[in-house]
Amino acid sequence: MTRLAPGAHADVLVIGGGIIGLAVAWRAAQRGLKNVVVVDPSPGHGAAGVAAGMLAPVTELQYGEEPLLRLGMASNERYAAFAAELTEASGEDTGYRRCGTLAVALDSDDRAELRELHAFHERLGLDSTWLTGREARKLEPMLAPGVRGGLHVADDHQVDPRRLLKALVFACERARVLIHRTEAAELLVQDGRAIGARLGTRETLTADQVVLAAGPHSHRLPGLPEGVLPAIRPVKGQILRLRVPDAYRPFLNRNVRAVVRGQHLYLVPRENGELVIGATTEEQGYDTTVTAGGVYELLRDAHELVPGVTELPLVETSAGLRPGSPDNAPLLGPTDLPGLVAATGHYRNGVLLTPVTADLVAEYLATGEVPELARPFAPSRFSPARSTTKAVA
Ligand code: GLY
């Protein structure tokens, strides 16, 4: 393990080496900040190591989340360039694929809901096209014969989060970001300012600015004064990985999703033959057990949507924890504790929001100015004195 020099000091200390922390560190180093350090016992893992990697600002949109939509669209627009730059910097492909997404309805109630969603998309000027069941099946012949209609969203794409994480680790190392494989045991606060962290190795690292990017563990960092961050709740998602044998390809051409029995279900087909099926949404604390019930429900619902999935080899089951803020939107930028910057709470959109989060947070770290796009997501919206202000109205 890397050891820090006694009295080590960083310009920027990033606590958490998941997709958000690594991307922020990489961009901060590119902005010319020297001595950027990431601390994480297992960098390049976290929720993104489990996620399917749908880049879906439109099809993940919930009513009333227009500010989040703007952020998601801004990140989606940056993705192609972000992925290309990362590949150039790391030598690793990220699996970014401009495939579009088809959201389908399995019965007449679903169809009515999807129609309403389509009207909502049209009011917002989003690129979303209504299809009959027959038209949806023409695009995706493996869909169940009973599919009643669908929405084709041409700009909701995908990336492979595991490859992206690997690329980020390499890009950080090449940009001279120090990745220190240990935990942050305690935030150090002096005279009302965050000044660094005591690490699991008992070393102390002081820093000009500390970025908290520890997902659902962010608010639990020892030493963090009360009220600086709201609780970031862990929302478990169980997910399956199947393999499409060569003889069955192309099985699906694009991301396919539906709401089945009230649960979001999606199938994300990769060019290398992996098919990811996700995901449950469970609020049960920090447990990441894969359960028979979770796997059963995902396979049952996926079989209803695309009956052929049960013929495919099941390769992996896993579970991760989405970091959910109280309004399900991220916390980006300076907190009420001087020296402490938040990049957390991305809930269902961490992979999608990675490029824009990294750009906005690095901009703040380099200039001290909060970019306009980040303002609705100020962590101070949850400050006890201002708890009536909401990012997502
Ligand atoms: N973004 C998909 C999920 O959180 O399950």
Side-chain angles (χ1 to χ4, degrees):
M1 177 185 308
T2 328
R3 295 217 67 88
L4 297 172
H9 182 82
D11 284 7
V12 177
L13 164 61
V14 181
I15 296 178
I19 195 166
I20 296 291
L22 290 170
V24 167
W26 180 48
R27 284 295 195 220
Q30 287 181 319
R31 294 291 307 246
L33 288 149
K34 306 253 180 311
N35 301 324
V36 179
V37 180
V38 176
V39 291
D40 192 311
S42 192
H45 290 88
V50 173
M54 255 187 323
L55 306 174
V58 176
T59 52
E60 283 275 335
L61 177 67
Q62 306 288 317
Y63 295 104
E65 288 187 343
E66 286 84 344
L68 191 54
L69 171 69
R70 277 192 290 281
L71 193 70
M73 299 284 276
S75 208
N76 209 22
E77 281 161 19
R78 291 168 200 221
Y79 235 103
F82 175 79
E85 196 185 336
L86 195 49
T87 297
E88 173 76 28
S90 64
E92 292 289 323
D93 189 75
T94 63
Y96 175 69
R97 184 178 174 202
R98 297 180 68 81
C99 59
T101 294
L102 181 63
V104 299
L106 282 169
D107 59 31
S108 50
D109 287 349
D110 289 350
R111 188 170 61 178
E113 268 185 41
L114 212 53
R115 277 273 190 206
E116 269 182 39
L117 193 61
H118 183 227
F120 180 51
H121 289 167
E122 289 200 315
R123 285 199 297 279
L124 295 173
L126 302 172
D127 185 352
S128 156
T129 307
W130 179 259
L131 303 178
T132 62
R134 186 191 292 258
E135 288 167 335
R137 279 191 301 280
K138 202 163 169 201
L139 284 184
E140 292 298 347
M142 296 304 283
L143 283 175
V147 162
R148 305 290 295 271
L151 279 184
H152 182 235
V153 177
D155 288 330
D156 276 8
H157 302 304
Q158 63 164 283
V159 73
D160 185 336
R162 289 181 177 171
R163 300 177 83 179
L164 184 67
L165 282 163
K166 189 171 170 202
L168 277 169
V169 170
F170 285 151
C172 278
E173 286 170 347
R174 289 186 182 174
R176 299 187 184 283
V177 171
L178 176 67
I179 300 180
H180 200 41
R181 287 168 169 75
T182 184
E183 61 177 2
E186 184 185 359
L187 181 71
L188 299 176
V189 178
Q190 196 175 66
D191 300 328
R193 182 178 179 88
I195 58 153
R198 186 172 57 76
L199 307 182
T201 50
R202 294 175 185 270
E203 296 159 303
T204 292
L205 178 64
T206 58
D208 294 340
Q209 306 190 77
V210 179
V211 179
L212 193 41
H217 305 285
S218 298
H219 65 292
R220 306 204 301 171
L221 178 64
L224 182 70
E226 210 172 311
V228 171
L229 280 193
I232 306 294
R233 64 190 205 287
V235 183
K236 178 175 165 182
Q238 300 189 49
I239 208 156
L240 314 177
R241 283 176 161 79
L242 287 71
R243 185 172 52 77
V244 181
D246 288 348
Y248 285 48
R249 292 190 208 168
F251 187 77
L252 294 174
N253 302 296
R254 54 185 58 70
N255 306 329
V256 170
R257 59 185 303 157
V259 177
V260 187
R261 295 179 189 83
Q263 297 295 323
H264 288 277
L265 179 80
Y266 45 82
L267 292 86
V268 177
R270 302 217 195 285
E271 259 160 4
N272 66 6
E274 184 176 75
L275 177 68
V276 188
I277 301 179
T280 63
T281 302
E282 305 164 63
E283 305 220 9
Q284 321 193 338
Y286 290 85
D287 167 56
T288 53
T289 311
V290 174
T291 63
V295 174
Y296 164 72
E297 284 170 21
L298 288 169
L299 283 175
R300 177 195 63 194
D301 295 350
H303 178 255
E304 237 170 88
L305 196 59
V306 180
V309 290
T310 49
E311 303 294 320
L312 304 177
L314 175 61
V315 176
E316 186 191 311
T317 60
S318 50
L321 298 174
R322 306 174 182 92
S325 76
D327 61 11
N328 293 336
L331 283 76
L332 305 176
T335 66
D336 288 347
L337 179 67
L340 184 71
V341 178
T344 189
H346 292 71
Y347 189 40
R348 298 181 69 91
N349 296 300
V351 178
L352 168 67
L353 294 177
T354 293
V356 80
T357 297
D359 288 348
L360 297 176
V361 174
E363 169 88 21
Y364 173 74
L365 293 169
T367 66
E369 296 290 326
V370 178
E372 187 64 39
L373 193 54
R375 292 203 178 139
F377 307 98
S380 60
R381 72 187 187 275
F382 299 116
S383 302
R386 299 163 63 181
S387 57
T388 49
T389 313
K390 297 244 163 62
V392 178

